[in-house]
């Protein structure tokens, strides 16, 4: 009798673990599984092997007409994430970083369910933001100091900088120190070339963009990965031979300047300051899922992302640039606030986690977003210029002097909001959205909503196409009323 009871219990347990279906239609592939059904009671599983910190991306659509459908991820028998729908549907995405190396199980469970599910997944290695010093940028910053230092240091009026009253020399902490030390080199050949180029319309961003694409001083020269467009800009006539010669002359003079001031000695003497600047930024870089999530949203990838804090660029100054050949993105910037050279309270003004994360999202975002605006049909840009009129005054106050630059900023800021939500920082997403609306970016809510809908329902779509469709809808949504 005891044997019969045990056998009945075992059979009941086995039956409870079995999967029962009716009208089951499925598609099961690596990285994707889906099914529709009139009845589903049981489990469907896929397994994924992850190394520690590797990221699992899930995109899912669950529809439970009746009963319950649950999507979950488990590791070592413990559920680490799940989503359940009952008598409803949900389409969304989720990502998680592996807490340890091992096998992770993706499970769709049905409990007396009728409906469907569609799950796609992939794994992505974490990406780290590089934090580096670039000799070319530091030397260029010294050129800026020699060029602008006298006027800056002559200003004795007191201003409020970052909530504190100070004269300009106090705000630009390293500038007076560097100017006094290197002002004798103001007559170097590179300064004559630099000043002449400025009168011809070459601005800070041109020099920064070019200097990231050549070898570092004192051996700076054009190489195989220097973008031709960067070189071509040296010739106002589009003459490539002339452009190469002018670029070579500029770099030759830059190398001489590097040797004249003894760049190695400068970096050695200031090593404690540079070490602190790098450490301050490094400890505040975005976490390992930030870049993969950004790449997932924009449907684009770059080979390397670098933050380049500078002690010679002016306080609160920054530039973002990209090398098309190597697919590397750089964001270089001066200190965020006042600096202290007191050995007991040494502070290079870079220890600001909010600014660093925002800087990475914004400056890296331009390399993702700007090409989508550049790919828009010219007639569409022309037809939507009326959208600039209501915000022109506020945009010009922020140096966005055209509808094109305004669009760049709108799209990048929309990406910042969406990516912040994706990495779980909903508070920052909400505050960023509201802050930007207050600054005059009134089309941001519309753009965010449209791009979120595209992202939600499109697994591998083209971001440029998404922006094109969004712009067409924006044009209609804000069409001026007929007189």
């Amino acid at each position: 009798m005891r044997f019969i009871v045990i056998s009945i219990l075992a059979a009941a347990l086995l039956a409870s673990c079995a999967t029962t279906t009716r009208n089951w239609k499925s598609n099961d592939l690596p990285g994707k599984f889906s099914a529709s059904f009139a009845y589903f009671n049981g489990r469907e599983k896929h397994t994924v092997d992850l190394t520690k910190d590797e990221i699992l991306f899930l995109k899912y659509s669950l529809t439970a007409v009746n009963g319950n459908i649950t999507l979950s991820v488990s590791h070592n028998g413990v559920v680490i994430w799940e989503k359940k729908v009952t008598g409803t549907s949900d389409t969304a995405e989720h990502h998680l970083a592996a807490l340890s190396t091992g096998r992770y199980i993706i499970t769709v469970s049905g409990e007396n369910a009728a409906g469907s599910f569609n799950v796609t997944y992939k794994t992505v290695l974490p990406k780290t933001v590089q934090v580096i010093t670039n000799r070319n940028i530091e030397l260029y910053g010294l050129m800026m100091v020699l060029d602008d230092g006298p006027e800056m240091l002559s200003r004795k009026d007191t201003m409020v900088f970052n909530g504190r009253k100070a004269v300009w020399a106090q705000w630009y902490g390293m500038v007076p120190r560097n100017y006094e030390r290197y002002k004798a080199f103001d007559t170097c050949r590179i300064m004559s070339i630099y000043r002449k180029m400025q009168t011809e319309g070459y601005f800070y961003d041109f020099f920064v963009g070019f200097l990231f694409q050549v070898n570092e001083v004192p051996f700076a020269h054009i190489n195989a990965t220097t973008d031709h467009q960067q070189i071509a800009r040296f010739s106002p006539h589009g003459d490539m031979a002339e452009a190469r010669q002018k670029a070579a002359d500029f770099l030759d003079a830059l190398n001489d300047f590097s040797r004249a001031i003894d760049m190695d000695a400068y970096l050695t003497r200031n090593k404690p300051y540079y070490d602190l600047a790098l450490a301050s930024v490094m400890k505040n870089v975005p976490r390992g899922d930030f870049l993969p999530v950004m790449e997932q949203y924009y449907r684009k990838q770059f080979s390397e992302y670098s933050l380049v804090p500078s002690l010679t660029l002016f306080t609160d100054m920054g530039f973002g640039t990209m090398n098309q050949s190597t697919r590397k993105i750089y964001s270089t910037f001066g200190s965020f606030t006042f600096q202290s050279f007191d050995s007991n309270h040494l502070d290079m003004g870079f220890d600001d986690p909010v600014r660093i994360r925002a800087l990475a999202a914004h400056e890296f975002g331009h390399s993702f977003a700007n090409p989508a605006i550049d790919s828009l049909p010219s007639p569409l840009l022309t037809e939507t210029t009326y959208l600039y009129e209501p915000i022109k005054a506020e945009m010009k106050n922020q140096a966005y002097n055209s509808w094109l630059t305004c669009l760049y900023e709108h799209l990048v800021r929309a990406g910042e909001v969406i990516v912040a939500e994706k990495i779980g920082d909903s508070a920052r997403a909400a505050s960023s959205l509201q802050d930007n609306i207050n600054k005059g970016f009134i089309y941001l809510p519309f753009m965010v909503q449209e791009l979120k809908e595209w992202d939600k329902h499109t697994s591998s779509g083209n971001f440029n196409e998404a922006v094109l469709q969004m712009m067409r809808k924006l044009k209609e949504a804000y069409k001026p009323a007929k007189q």
Side-chain angles (χ1 to χ4, degrees):
M1 183 67 179
R2 184 177 175 217
F3 173 76
I4 293 172
V5 171
I6 291 173
S7 297
I8 292 171
L9 286 172
L13 287 170
L14 288 170
S16 69
C17 294
T19 295
T20 304
T21 63
R22 287 201 305 271
N23 296 335
W24 179 269
K25 297 178 182 178
S26 65
N27 187 16
D28 199 338
L29 298 168
K32 180 177 182 179
F33 59 117
S34 60
S36 61
F37 39 85
Y39 183 81
F40 173 35
N41 202 72
R43 297 177 179 178
E44 289 289 310
K45 298 180 179 180
H46 272 214
T47 60
V48 183
D49 291 322
L50 300 174
T51 57
K52 186 179 185 302
D53 295 326
E54 193 171 3
I55 301 159
L56 174 65
F57 281 95
L58 291 165
K59 198 151 195 170
Y60 61 86
S61 181
L62 309 175
T63 300
V65 178
N66 293 310
N68 305 321
I69 299 176
T70 303
L71 172 65
S72 66
V73 179
S74 59
H75 177 54
N76 291 336
V78 178
V79 174
I80 56 178
W81 176 82
E82 73 173 18
K83 176 67 181 181
K84 183 177 183 178
V85 296
T86 303
T88 187
S89 62
D90 186 37
T91 299
E93 64 177 54
H94 183 74
H95 74 275
L96 56 88
L99 298 175
S100 60
T101 299
R103 178 154 294 182
Y104 290 72
I105 301 173
I106 305 168
T107 304
V108 177
S109 304
E111 186 178 353
N112 302 321
S116 64
F117 64 80
N118 189 325
V119 179
T120 60
Y121 61 91
K122 68 177 183 179
T123 61
V124 178
L125 292 173
K127 284 192 173 181
T128 304
V129 176
Q130 307 295 314
V131 182
I132 61 173
T133 297
N134 183 281
R135 293 166 66 97
N136 293 351
I137 298 303
E138 296 314 288
L139 188 60
Y140 175 62
L142 290 178
M143 290 166 55
M144 291 172 61
V145 167
L146 292 179
D147 193 46
D148 296 325
E151 179 184 354
M152 192 175 295
L153 298 179
S154 68
R155 297 190 62 167
K156 302 303 181 184
D157 51 318
T158 300
M159 300 282 288
V160 177
F161 298 99
N162 206 22
R164 171 179 154 189
K165 288 185 178 181
V167 296
W168 291 78
Q170 292 172 312
W171 174 238
Y172 295 108
M174 280 286 279
V175 171
R177 298 166 68 92
N178 286 330
Y179 181 75
E180 288 303 319
R181 188 171 194 99
Y182 295 106
K183 62 184 179 182
F185 297 92
D186 186 57
T187 56
C188 283
R189 181 164 60 108
I190 189 63
M191 296 306 300
S192 297
I193 296 174
Y194 176 52
R195 286 174 174 134
K196 183 175 184 296
M197 290 182 71
Q198 287 186 95
T199 64
E200 295 170 349
Y202 295 89
F203 299 109
Y204 296 152
D205 58 342
F206 166 77
F207 295 103
V208 169
F210 176 66
L211 290 173
F212 270 120
Q213 297 201 24
V214 297
N215 296 65
E216 293 187 47
V217 291
F219 308 107
H221 61 267
I222 295 169
N223 57 49
T225 65
T226 308
D227 289 339
H228 284 189
Q229 298 95 317
Q230 285 283 0
I231 303 169
R233 291 175 67 186
F234 274 90
S235 169
H237 315 293
D239 183 331
M240 202 61 184
E242 177 191 32
R244 283 188 172 276
Q245 186 58 56
K246 284 188 173 181
D249 290 345
F250 178 85
L251 293 177
D252 183 57
L254 190 74
N255 288 327
D256 286 346
F257 182 51
S258 170
R259 297 184 188 100
I261 69 164
D262 196 345
M263 191 67 180
D264 288 336
Y266 164 81
L267 291 172
T268 299
R269 184 169 55 255
N270 292 290
K271 187 176 185 302
Y273 303 148
Y274 278 94
D275 286 347
L276 180 57
L278 291 172
S280 297
V281 175
M282 203 171 299
K283 76 175 185 178
N284 292 309
V285 294
R287 65 196 198 196
D289 63 343
F290 166 72
L291 292 174
V293 167
M294 183 177 268
E295 292 177 338
Q296 173 79 357
Y297 163 62
Y298 285 107
R299 315 299 199 261
K300 297 177 185 177
Q301 290 183 333
F302 293 94
S303 63
E304 195 172 290
Y305 303 79
S306 296
L307 293 177
V308 190
S310 170
L311 291 179
T312 60
L313 292 181
F314 300 142
T315 304
D316 226 17
M317 175 179 279
F319 306 92
T321 187
M322 179 181 69
N323 185 321
Q324 297 281 357
S325 300
T326 61
R327 303 286 291 169
K328 293 181 179 180
I329 302 177
Y330 304 93
S331 176
T332 185
F333 46 93
S335 63
F336 302 132
T337 187
F338 292 95
Q339 297 170 314
S340 169
F341 299 94
D342 182 343
S343 59
N344 294 318
H345 304 285
L346 198 61
D347 184 357
M348 292 297 99
F350 290 99
D351 192 3
D352 188 331
V354 174
R355 287 285 298 272
I356 290 169
R357 285 195 288 268
L359 190 68
H362 190 88
E363 296 303 339
F364 294 160
H366 273 294
S367 293
F368 286 102
N370 286 20
I373 298 297
D374 293 336
S375 71
L376 291 173
S378 296
L380 183 58
L381 283 174
T382 302
E383 292 163 7
T384 53
T385 52
Y386 66 86
L387 295 170
Y388 186 55
E389 292 305 314
I391 58 175
K392 181 188 286 188
E394 289 173 290
M395 291 296 106
K396 284 193 170 183
N397 285 338
Q398 299 169 72
Y400 306 127
N401 297 318
S402 69
W403 175 229
L404 179 64
T405 56
C406 179
L407 271 179
Y408 289 148
E409 288 301 314
H410 266 85
L411 193 58
V412 167
R413 290 163 198 247
E416 290 179 66
V417 172
I418 293 169
V419 171
E421 282 188 358
K422 283 175 170 287
I423 62 174
D425 196 346
S426 57
R428 184 161 68 88
S431 65
S432 176
L433 180 61
Q434 190 57 56
D435 287 348
N436 281 305
I437 293 171
N438 294 341
K439 291 176 182 176
F441 292 91
I442 62 174
Y443 307 115
L444 210 55
F446 182 91
M447 289 184 171
V448 168
Q449 183 59 38
E450 288 296 321
L451 292 170
K452 283 171 69 174
E453 282 299 307
W454 163 78
D455 181 55
K456 182 177 180 179
H457 296 289
T458 309
S459 295
S460 57
N462 184 288
F463 184 72
N464 290 6
E465 180 63 26
V467 172
L468 173 60
Q469 297 305 322
M470 180 268 294
M471 283 299 298
R472 286 172 174 164
K473 291 180 181 179
L474 183 71
K475 174 187 169 184
E476 294 302 313
Y478 288 87
K479 185 181 292 185
K482 293 182 179 179
Q483 299 298 321

